[in-house]
Amino acid sequence: MPIQAEIVAKLNGSSMIVADETGWRVGGGRAWLWAATTPGVTAYRVADGRGYDEACEVIDPDYSGVIVRDKWAPYRRLEQATHQSCLAHLLRRSDELIRDLPEAERETPRIVRQILKDALRARELGPRKAKAATADLVERLEVLLSAEQSHDENRKLVRHLGNEKGALFTFLAHTDIDATNWRGE
């Protein structure tokens, strides 16, 4: 496995890792395909589980760069890393709620969608203006997080955003970081 070890070493030496895991089959049994990638190298690993220990087979537990990831909780245990939560996943969830919720309950996912879209546009402003825009985005997010939610799905969405709030706008401070985990998908 010297080639795999070399790939993993290059991966963990990078300033950004984009990670994802997906269901897989081995001999008809359930497994997980882990992918961790950078612009220059990609590591794959098939594992029996989908937890923190399996993630650490590819990503060093002391990794201190930026990890771009979906909402899967084990990634949050990589505490030395800076995190960027995948905005595409959150936008898709907001769109689903806008489509599926009763009209009276669609305001929260519409606000989330607008905040995320504004964040993606802010990247085009350049570093100084993006920093000011980030302060506005964080303030808007805080207002949303403090608002009462009358529908279970909106409460779940807002709770998730609260868990992820420190990882939503990392890409605005680090212009070389992806806002989504498309590379890993």
Side-chain angles (χ1 to χ4, degrees):
M1 290 261 244
I3 293 175
Q4 177 74 1
E6 182 179 334
I7 291 169
V8 168
K10 284 182 181 178
L11 180 84
N12 284 284
S14 174
S15 64
M16 174 187 72
I17 295 175
V18 182
D20 194 52
E21 73 299 323
T22 190
W24 199 254
R25 294 278 184 205
V26 174
R30 188 176 194 172
W32 297 94
L33 173 63
W34 290 82
T37 188
T38 72
V41 66
T42 300
Y44 297 100
R45 183 172 187 281
V46 176
D48 292 333
R50 190 180 180 204
Y52 176 74
D53 291 337
E54 288 81 12
C56 291
E57 292 293 323
V58 178
I59 303 170
D60 185 343
D62 295 324
Y63 177 72
S64 62
V66 177
I67 183 161
V68 182
R69 42 115 177 128
D70 59 16
K71 65 183 180 179
W72 191 238
Y75 293 120
R76 290 189 202 122
R77 290 183 56 194
L78 295 165
E79 295 174 357
Q80 301 302 311
T82 301
H83 292 257
Q84 172 61 54
S85 189
C86 178
L87 296 194
H89 281 82
L90 293 167
L91 284 165
R92 274 194 301 272
R93 182 64 184 140
S94 296
D95 288 344
E96 289 168 1
L97 292 174
I98 292 166
R99 183 191 66 227
D100 297 342
L101 288 176
E103 182 62 40
E105 299 297 338
R106 295 178 184 169
E107 186 63 16
T108 295
R110 284 183 179 133
I111 292 169
V112 171
R113 187 176 202 292
Q114 192 61 55
I115 290 170
L116 299 177
K117 287 289 198 174
D118 289 349
L120 291 168
R121 280 191 288 279
R123 184 171 226 174
E124 299 168 12
L125 300 174
R128 202 175 96 242
K129 289 183 180 179
K131 185 176 181 178
T134 302
D136 175 64
L137 293 163
V138 168
E139 185 176 318
R140 289 165 56 196
L141 181 64
E142 290 294 339
V143 168
L144 178 66
L145 294 176
S146 66
E148 256 330 288
Q149 300 298 326
S150 59
H151 195 282
D152 260 355
E153 291 301 317
N154 285 337
R155 281 192 291 274
K156 283 190 233 176
L157 177 62
V158 168
R159 187 171 42 251
H160 177 66
L161 289 172
N163 290 337
E164 294 294 321
K165 72 181 180 179
L168 294 175
F169 308 124
T170 304
F171 75 100
L172 291 172
H174 302 269
T175 57
D176 57 335
I177 300 304
D178 295 339
T180 71
N181 73 332
W182 68 271
R183 288 180 199 272
E185 295 268 334

